[in-house]
Amino acid sequence: MLFSSLRTAAFRNLADTEIFTDAKDVFLVGENGQGKTNFLEALYFCAYASSFRKVSDNELARNGEKDFCAEVKITQSVNDEILVKFEKGKKSVFINKKHSEDRKELLSIAPSIVFCHEDMEFVSGSPERRRWFFDQTLSLYDPVYLEDFRRFRRVLKSRNSILKNYVNSRNNDSIEQVLDALDPQFAVYGQKLMEKREIASGQFSDVFTTLYEDVAGISGINVQYIQSWKSEKEIIDYLRERRSTDMAAGLSLSGPHRDRYVFAHNGAEFTGKASTGQRRLLALLLRTAQARRFSEVTGQNPILLLDDVLLEMDGEKRRRFLSVMPAYDQAFYTFLPEEPYQRYCKEDTLIYRVNSGKLLK
């Protein structure tokens, strides 16, 4: 499976044209600000109908434009096309020219994993960003988890809305009855998420620990999953006991949306003591482990989008990282012109020079 071509219109600074990428390894070489990352972003946008840069859809349009689109052709056992349009403030996804009602259909067509600067947030950012990463990891290979996650989020949104309204009005006499109806769903879907997270985090940690030792030479680095619901009682009883606290705050203060993931070294928290270089390596190897877990579970290899991942590594760490690269069907790399990208070329590597949004072989 690989992206055989990408066509864009009014997407960032990219030229309105079709670029052919029918090769296992594609190198994008150019100075900063020329469009290398934008090209990866357009591929990712087709794979997930969203950006990896945490920006709104309308920010992806070229300056002065409101509408844009990106389309990829995919070569595999059956050729597929994915078109994502943003017109008149609305996003639409088309798979093989048929409108898709649910974006989760994209996950099984072109599973892609991006390595980018924003990944540092999974290490140094908020607990929410780490949860997002591990939820994405599970969703890549477990559609049931994704559906349970969506259901949990819907119940959580309803529960928080009711609690907020209670705080604002203080005269909702029916709030207890409403929460009595919602909390069983809240508990059931939350329990399902926690059970799968517990198992998946252990399996992920096994892969990650070995990777970090192989590349950094430090043993004992692992991922710990810490649940918000810790009571030995039934979750529904726990929620009832904490209800007055939630009502006072106008917010659901416990549940899977408050779970944490911690990077530990021999049992002690590691991130706060880690150097900048160690944190960058943590982020890089999180994505590597994500790709490996996807391949282990599904028997498929992802497409990799690697944005300047080798830029800040010394020669030895580059060599070690390349030695643990996950298996892939296709990989896109970005390089600055002064980087020694030629030494990583293979006979069939496709190289594009990127300048002002235009790609030239």
Side-chain angles (χ1 to χ4, degrees):
M1 170 190 62
L2 49 81
F3 293 131
S4 57
S5 71
L6 170 70
R7 180 180 66 86
T8 59
F11 191 100
R12 296 282 195 181
N13 77 327
L14 298 178
D16 296 348
T17 188
E18 184 174 20
I19 300 297
F20 294 93
T21 57
D22 196 356
K24 181 168 184 175
D25 295 282
V26 182
F27 288 4
L28 307 173
V29 183
E31 299 290 352
N32 290 327
Q34 299 306 303
K36 304 188 302 294
T37 301
N38 293 344
F39 193 88
L40 298 188
E41 187 178 28
L43 293 173
Y44 189 93
F45 188 71
C46 290
Y48 293 100
S50 64
S51 169
F52 59 76
R53 285 167 152 172
K54 288 178 57 184
V55 296
S56 61
D57 290 333
N58 56 19
E59 293 179 76
L60 301 177
R62 182 184 301 143
N63 288 340
E65 302 283 352
K66 293 183 178 180
D67 302 336
F68 66 90
C69 72
E71 179 181 24
V72 291
K73 293 180 181 177
I74 302 165
T75 301
Q76 48 188 349
S77 57
V78 178
N79 290 340
D80 285 312
E81 295 180 2
I82 299 174
L83 169 64
V84 185
K85 289 183 176 181
F86 188 80
E87 294 179 326
K88 298 180 180 178
K90 183 179 179 181
K91 180 163 53 184
S92 302
V93 177
F94 297 86
I95 300 174
N96 296 328
K97 298 182 171 58
K98 294 182 180 179
H99 185 260
S100 175
E101 297 294 338
D102 193 335
R103 286 190 289 169
K104 75 176 183 181
E105 295 179 38
L106 293 173
L107 292 178
S108 62
I109 299 176
S112 303
I113 292 177
V114 65
F115 295 68
C116 60
H117 296 295
E118 285 78 3
D119 293 346
M120 278 289 287
E121 294 183 5
F122 304 143
V123 178
S124 304
S126 66
E128 180 182 9
R129 291 301 293 159
R130 281 189 285 281
R131 284 194 302 273
W132 184 93
F133 171 80
F134 285 103
D135 283 334
Q136 184 194 56
T137 301
L138 264 163
S139 299
L140 279 170
Y141 59 77
D142 189 345
V144 176
Y145 178 86
L146 177 58
E147 195 56 44
D148 286 337
F149 180 75
R150 286 176 165 184
R151 289 168 178 160
F152 174 81
R153 295 292 296 180
R154 285 195 289 267
V155 177
L156 174 64
K157 183 178 180 180
S158 297
R159 196 174 191 273
N160 282 343
S161 177
I162 291 164
L163 291 168
K164 182 178 180 180
N165 288 339
Y166 171 77
V167 168
N168 291 337
S169 63
R170 294 291 182 182
N171 60 359
N172 189 347
D173 296 332
S174 64
I175 186 171
E176 294 278 357
Q177 291 89 335
V178 175
L179 291 177
D180 282 340
L182 274 179
D183 282 356
Q185 301 175 60
F186 192 56
V188 167
Y189 293 133
Q191 183 69 38
K192 288 181 178 181
L193 297 187
M194 291 191 305
E195 289 173 354
K196 287 197 172 182
R197 285 177 177 178
E198 183 72 35
I199 295 171
S201 63
Q203 295 168 334
F204 185 96
S205 186
D206 289 342
V207 174
F208 181 79
T209 298
T210 301
L211 279 172
Y212 202 89
E213 183 173 2
D214 289 344
V215 177
I218 302 176
S219 61
I221 304 292
N222 61 15
V223 179
Q224 296 181 358
Y225 169 56
I226 303 173
Q227 299 179 6
S228 171
W229 286 335
K230 300 178 182 179
S231 173
E232 295 179 358
K233 299 181 180 181
E234 291 291 333
I235 293 176
I236 194 69
D237 294 332
Y238 181 72
L239 287 172
R240 192 172 290 112
E241 287 182 1
R242 292 183 55 87
R243 182 173 292 177
S244 59
T245 305
D246 288 354
M247 290 169 63
L251 197 64
S252 301
L253 296 176
S254 68
H257 59 295
R258 299 277 180 162
D259 289 349
R260 294 187 299 122
Y261 291 88
V262 175
F263 302 106
H265 182 214
N266 294 328
E269 197 275 333
F270 176 69
T271 308
K273 301 176 182 178
S275 66
T276 300
Q278 288 174 326
R279 291 196 295 270
R280 290 189 188 281
L281 188 58
L282 276 171
L284 187 63
L285 295 181
L286 278 176
R287 287 298 195 184
T288 305
Q290 185 182 57
R292 285 197 175 189
R293 281 295 297 148
F294 173 80
S295 296
E296 287 176 359
V297 176
T298 66
Q300 303 176 30
N301 293 328
I303 294 173
L304 305 182
L305 311 175
L306 302 106
D307 191 20
D308 288 345
V309 297
L310 303 178
L311 182 60
E312 298 182 6
M313 289 186 185
D314 58 38
E316 178 59 19
K317 278 200 170 59
R318 285 189 181 200
R319 184 192 66 77
R320 290 186 180 182
F321 171 70
L322 292 172
S323 72
V324 300
M325 273 277 289
Y328 59 89
D329 280 353
Q330 186 179 32
F332 292 79
Y333 300 78
T334 66
F335 292 100
L336 292 172
E338 60 268 23
E339 289 187 83
Y341 61 89
Q342 295 92 343
R343 71 178 59 171
Y344 311 121
C345 286
K346 302 170 186 174
E347 289 186 3
D348 58 347
T349 298
L350 182 58
I351 303 176
Y352 277 103
R353 288 278 181 169
V354 185
N355 185 37
S356 299
K358 297 179 180 180
L359 278 71
L360 299 174
K361 282 188 181 179

